[in-house]
Amino acid sequence: MSKITITLSEILNEKRTIEILMTLQNGPQHIRSLHRAIGGSMSTIVDRVNSLLQAGLLRETELSRREKYLELTERGKAVVSVLDWLEMSVTKSKMILDRPKKWILALLYVLEEIKGSTRLEKLLFLLKEQFGVTGGPFYQFTPYLFGPFSSEILEDAKALRDMGLIDISLDTIVASELSDAIFIRKTYRLTEKGKEKAKKCYMEIASDERVREAIYKMREYNSMPLSNLLNYVYEKFPSYSPPPEMP
C-alpha cells in the first residue's frame, strides 16, 4: 500500500484534522475519548486518524494490554507547533492598529458616541463614498439588509474593544409603541485609554482641512434619527439600497 502524503496546506484546510492534532498535544488518547472531545461523526474521525497515521504525524502506542492509544510523532509535534504559531499570528494581526481602525477611533474622537452598528457602518460609508476622504486601505461595502455593509467594520470594532480602546455597551430598544419587538443595540464609545490614542489618530488622519470638515460633517448624520439616515443613504446611493421585499 502506497503511503498517503498530507501537505501542511491540506491539514490547514481540514478542520477535523487540526482538531485531532491540537487535542493530542495534551497527551495520548484512545480514539473513543478523542471522538468525545471533538464530536462529529466517528467514521470521519477514524478516516482522519488513519490519514494522519499514514502521513507519519500520529502513531499508535500501547498504554495497556487491551487497547492502543494515539499520540503525536515528532513530525506531528512539529506541525502542531506551526499551527500554534499561525493561530498566534492571526490573533496578533487583528491587534494591529491599521488605517481602517484608525478611522473608527478618529470618528469616535469627534462624535464621542455612536449608537448602533448600522449607524457606524453608514457614517464610514459616507466618509468614503460621499466625501471621498478616506484614501489608502479602507472598508469595502456591499448592499445588505440596511444598505451598504462591511463585516470588517464589526470585526475591527471588536478588535479595538479587545485592545482596550473602545467600549461597546448593549442597550435594549423597543421598536415602537405599537410593537412588542425588542432589539439589542450596540453603543460605541472611547475608553480613557482610547481617547489618547484616538486623538493621535485624528491628528494623523485629519491633517488636511477637507478631511476635518468631512469628519465634523458626520456630527449631523450621527444626530439624525436612524430612519432618516438610512433614507438619505438609499436616495443618494440607490445601488446600495436593500433588495426589495419578496411578495
Side-chain angles (χ1 to χ4, degrees), residues 26-207:
N26 298 320
Q29 291 198 37
H30 189 272
I31 195 165
R32 289 195 300 273
S33 62
L34 192 62
H35 176 243
R36 285 196 297 271
I38 296 174
S41 165
M42 173 60 93
S43 61
T44 299
I45 300 299
V46 170
D47 178 66
R48 301 295 182 268
V49 164
N50 286 335
S51 296
L52 290 168
L53 286 168
Q54 294 177 36
L57 300 182
L58 299 183
R59 62 169 168 254
E60 290 183 322
T61 183
E62 292 187 8
L63 297 183
S64 69
R65 294 182 178 180
R66 294 184 179 180
E67 294 184 317
K68 292 183 178 181
Y69 287 73
L70 299 163
E71 66 178 1
L72 295 171
T73 62
E74 290 304 313
R75 183 183 179 191
K77 291 176 182 177
V79 170
V80 168
S81 295
V82 172
L83 293 173
D84 282 334
W85 178 84
L86 287 171
E87 184 177 357
M88 185 181 301
S89 297
V90 170
T91 300
K92 286 183 176 179
S93 68
K94 292 179 180 179
M95 302 299 279
I96 295 174
L97 193 59
D98 53 17
R99 188 170 178 82
K101 292 188 186 78
K102 289 180 180 180
W103 270 101
I104 295 177
L105 292 178
L107 194 57
L108 282 170
Y109 176 73
V110 172
L111 303 182
E112 296 184 358
E113 177 182 88
I114 298 175
K115 294 183 177 180
S117 300
T118 301
R119 187 180 298 275
L120 175 63
E121 294 263 353
K122 302 307 170 281
L123 296 178
L124 290 166
F125 172 80
L126 289 174
L127 282 169
K128 179 184 181 183
E129 298 297 334
Q130 180 172 331
F131 294 93
V133 296
T134 53
F138 201 68
Y139 302 108
Q140 301 299 314
F141 295 88
T142 56
Y144 196 54
L145 298 177
F146 295 101
F149 172 79
S150 171
S151 61
E152 292 179 348
I153 292 175
L154 304 184
E155 293 171 3
D156 279 358
K158 181 179 181 298
L160 288 169
R161 183 198 63 189
D162 294 343
M163 295 164 70
L165 299 179
I166 70 172
D167 174 70
I168 305 176
S169 60
L170 303 180
D171 305 307
T172 303
I173 305 297
V174 178
S176 72
E177 294 181 0
L178 301 178
S179 171
D180 293 330
I182 295 177
F183 300 92
I184 302 298
R185 182 184 67 193
K186 295 179 179 179
T187 298
Y188 300 86
R189 302 181 185 90
L190 293 170
T191 63
E192 288 302 316
K193 175 183 175 182
K195 289 177 182 178
E196 181 179 352
K197 181 67 70 175
K199 181 178 181 180
K200 293 179 180 178
C201 292
Y202 172 76
M203 298 300 290
E204 174 189 336
I205 286 174
S207 57

